[in-house]
Amino acid sequence: MKNYLLLLPYFLLIGISISYSVTASEHDEHLRDTRSSMILDQEKKWPIDESLHKGMVEIHALMVANIADIHQNKFTKKQYKALTDKLQTQINYLFENCVLPSGADVQLHILLSKMIKGVSKINTSNEQLQGAIQVIQGLQNYSSYFNDPRVGGL
């Protein structure tokens, strides 16, 4: 339960309310087992479902479309706000549509918690680049730990 409550401030910081389609207690159970580093499923990548693929494709597309301007410091505060809103929408979608087997779900929660921290940093005026890097690292971890050959890192 404590880990679940730790995620709450990130959602509040971003100013987006979250509505879950599954009960909070189901996610609490997964989050209690959350480790800080990801692992493979007996040396294999974790399975995915279509909703996970869809959300990660959208996150990947958002980062690909904007990474050059972010890296070159051409992104405005308004653009960062629009980006974080879109990223958070996709992260919310992933939480709302979470239907993975238990082990894969735990790994997804580890991944998403790090991406949420990245989105939060993007919202901070002095940490935008670090936040974008953290989201990109999440995409790289996704392609390393989840069996989705249609989505790669940046």
Side-chain angles (χ1 to χ4, degrees), residues 122-138:
I122 294 171
N123 274 328
T124 306
S125 63
N126 60 344
E127 295 187 89
Q128 285 123 346
L129 183 57
Q130 295 88 346
I133 290 168
Q134 202 162 349
V135 173
I136 291 167
Q137 288 170 339

Side-chain angles (χ1 to χ4, degrees), residues 1-149:
M1 183 66 153
K2 287 183 180 177
N3 287 337
Y4 176 74
L5 292 174
L6 290 176
L7 291 176
L8 188 58
Y10 295 113
F11 292 118
L12 294 174
L13 284 174
I14 306 170
I16 297 175
S17 68
I18 307 295
S19 64
Y20 293 97
S21 62
V22 294
T23 66
S25 62
E26 289 174 298
H27 280 284
D28 287 350
E29 179 182 328
H30 299 302
L31 287 170
R32 268 194 295 275
D33 297 328
T34 300
R35 298 171 189 92
S36 62
S37 60
M38 298 179 70
I39 60 171
L40 290 169
D41 181 17
Q42 300 176 10
E43 305 301 317
K44 295 185 294 188
K45 293 181 180 184
W46 294 98
I48 65 164
D49 66 0
E50 191 57 34
S51 63
L52 177 54
H53 168 73
K54 180 182 176 195
M56 294 307 281
V57 163
E58 292 297 324
I59 291 170
H60 184 268
L62 285 166
M63 295 312 293
V64 166
N66 295 297
I67 196 64
D69 286 344
I70 291 170
H71 183 70
Q72 297 170 7
N73 294 321
K74 294 181 180 178
F75 234 48
T76 66
K77 191 172 187 170
K78 186 176 179 179
Q79 287 173 304
Y80 276 119
K81 174 67 175 136
L83 176 62
T84 58
D85 288 349
K86 290 174 185 175
L87 288 169
Q88 191 60 51
T89 296
Q90 293 308 312
I91 291 170
N92 292 350
Y93 172 82
L94 293 171
F95 275 114
E96 291 167 1
N97 294 283
C98 181
V99 291
L100 298 175
S102 178
D105 190 53
V106 168
Q107 298 308 303
L108 179 61
H109 282 269
I110 293 169
L111 177 81
L112 292 179
S113 70
K114 292 177 181 180
M115 292 179 90
I116 289 167
K117 289 176 185 175
V119 170
S120 180
K121 284 182 180 179
I122 294 171
N123 274 328
T124 306
S125 63
N126 60 344
E127 295 187 89
Q128 285 123 346
L129 183 57
Q130 295 88 346
I133 290 168
Q134 202 162 349
V135 173
I136 291 167
Q137 288 170 339
L139 288 168
Q140 291 168 334
N141 284 339
Y142 176 72
S143 70
S144 295
Y145 290 95
F146 288 89
N147 189 19
D148 189 350

